[in-house]
Amino acid sequence: MIRLDKYLADMGFGTRQEVKKYIRQGRVCVNQKIVKTPDVKVQEEKDSVTLDGNEVAYASLEYYMLNKPAGVVSATEDSRDTTVLDLIRDKKRKDLFPVGRLDKDTEGLLLITNDGALAHRLLSPKKHVDKVYYAKVQGKVTEEDVRCFQEGVNIGADGKEEWTRPGTLEIIRSSSESEIRLSICEGKYHQVKRMFQAVGKEVTYLKRESMGPLVLDENLHSGEYRLLTKEEIKDVTEWNAE
Ligand code: URA
């Protein structure tokens, strides 16, 4: 049970003060009856709440899959750049955030939710969640690189050592510009780009294809998003949950 004003504010209909005003103005009904007291308690799953006659469904947890385009930042707010949250136009909750960060120029799978416990499990360094990236790389990627990545590479700068865990590198096309798929189970800053730097190569295009059990939907064009299906929510929330 939650307060009526919180219910409406949680669903993005205004600040607590604003929704209190709507309630006092008689614009809000609970189970078809006008309710003018903001502190009345409603049952999120059972009661019908309307504002100006329009049903307001309550969502306590929301999960979106975004195919992040290049040029937007993985943040909730930014004074200069478009954020991944700006792209989720019909979100209900105001407390959504991206689970982890992709660089501004990286594309692909980003989970956006307000499920903090799930985010913690997916991001915790202890959980070793596999993330698969597709990349275009300047230079010829070799079997030697595959072996290096398998053993872990030193991506440290200024003489400091910073070793990665083993990564699985698959060469799709090896040429003056190569195409690869890389699976890593960490999320160090700029990790994929720095791994290739460590073997003298430059990533020119990077896209995340999967994270744990969640796979980017091929039907989502760059910049598009959708709610996770019930099955995806089950897979991702039950996965690694012990
Ligand atoms: N590795 C990178 O270098 N950049 C990303 O955005 C994600 C992984």
Side-chain angles (χ1 to χ4, degrees):
M1 301 268 272
I2 61 168
R3 286 172 58 121
L4 183 56
D5 54 354
K6 180 166 174 9
Y7 183 112
L8 289 165
D10 279 355
M11 292 304 97
F13 285 88
T15 62
R16 282 293 265 274
Q17 286 315 312
E18 284 165 346
V19 300
K20 275 181 187 164
K21 200 167 79 191
Y22 306 153
I23 295 168
R24 294 207 178 94
Q25 287 168 341
R27 293 167 58 185
V28 176
C29 289
V30 177
N31 299 329
Q32 289 79 48
K33 283 202 192 93
I34 293 176
V35 172
K36 290 192 169 180
T37 40
D39 62 353
V40 82
K41 293 274 177 31
V42 289
Q43 296 191 56
E44 302 92 306
E45 311 300 334
K46 278 198 182 156
D47 289 328
S48 147
V49 175
T50 59
L51 172 65
D52 297 333
N54 300 314
E55 187 80 29
V56 179
Y58 193 82
S60 50
L61 292 173
E62 285 196 292
Y63 303 89
Y64 292 95
M65 174 187 291
L66 170 69
N67 184 355
K68 179 192 171 297
V72 304
V73 292
S74 300
T76 51
E77 286 180 275
D78 195 279
S79 52
R80 272 185 317 172
D81 289 312
T82 304
T83 72
V84 289
L85 262 296
D86 294 331
L87 301 180
I88 314 290
R89 286 174 307 279
D90 48 6
K91 55 187 173 286
K92 296 201 173 74
R93 303 282 318 192
K94 294 168 302 168
D95 51 359
L96 297 172
F97 57 88
V99 177
R101 283 170 187 269
L102 291 177
D103 298 338
K104 187 170 168 185
D105 59 356
T106 301
E107 300 185 6
L109 176 67
L110 196 60
L111 173 62
I112 299 200
T113 184
N114 57 337
D115 186 338
L118 172 66
H120 177 74
R121 283 203 305 280
L122 287 173
L123 297 177
S124 164
K126 290 188 196 136
K127 298 282 185 182
H128 307 310
V129 175
D130 285 323
K131 281 149 288 223
V132 177
Y133 294 89
Y134 163 85
K136 289 186 181 156
V137 178
Q138 190 76 54
K140 215 166 154 46
V141 177
T142 63
E143 288 303 325
E144 180 55 24
D145 299 329
V146 174
R147 275 191 293 279
C148 272
F149 283 13
Q150 227 159 36
E151 280 161 22
V153 277
N154 179 11
I155 59 171
D158 305 326
K160 278 197 205 134
E161 292 200 4
E162 186 180 358
W163 288 86
T164 67
R165 289 179 164 272
T168 307
L169 176 59
E170 176 202 341
I171 301 172
I172 301 169
R173 188 170 62 89
S174 178
S175 178
S176 56
E177 185 191 59
S178 305
E179 285 177 74
I180 62 94
R181 190 163 277 116
L182 175 63
S183 174
I184 53 174
C185 62
E186 299 164 291
K188 293 181 190 290
Y189 184 62
H190 293 332
Q191 181 158 345
V192 176
K193 292 174 185 164
R194 286 162 71 205
M195 286 174 80
F196 278 99
Q197 257 167 28
V199 293
K201 281 152 201 146
E202 192 197 343
V203 171
T204 53
Y205 174 82
L206 186 59
K207 179 177 183 177
R208 183 157 64 193
E209 296 182 328
S210 69
M211 184 179 194
L214 211 56
V215 179
L216 180 65
D217 183 337
E218 293 175 348
N219 297 314
L220 289 178
H221 293 117
S222 184
E224 289 184 345
Y225 65 93
R226 65 160 170 79
L227 284 166
L228 290 199
T229 63
K230 282 204 176 110
E231 200 167 28
E232 284 167 336
I233 294 173
K234 187 167 178 286
D235 283 350
V236 77
T237 52
E238 286 182 0
W239 181 83
N240 235 342
E242 73 286 350

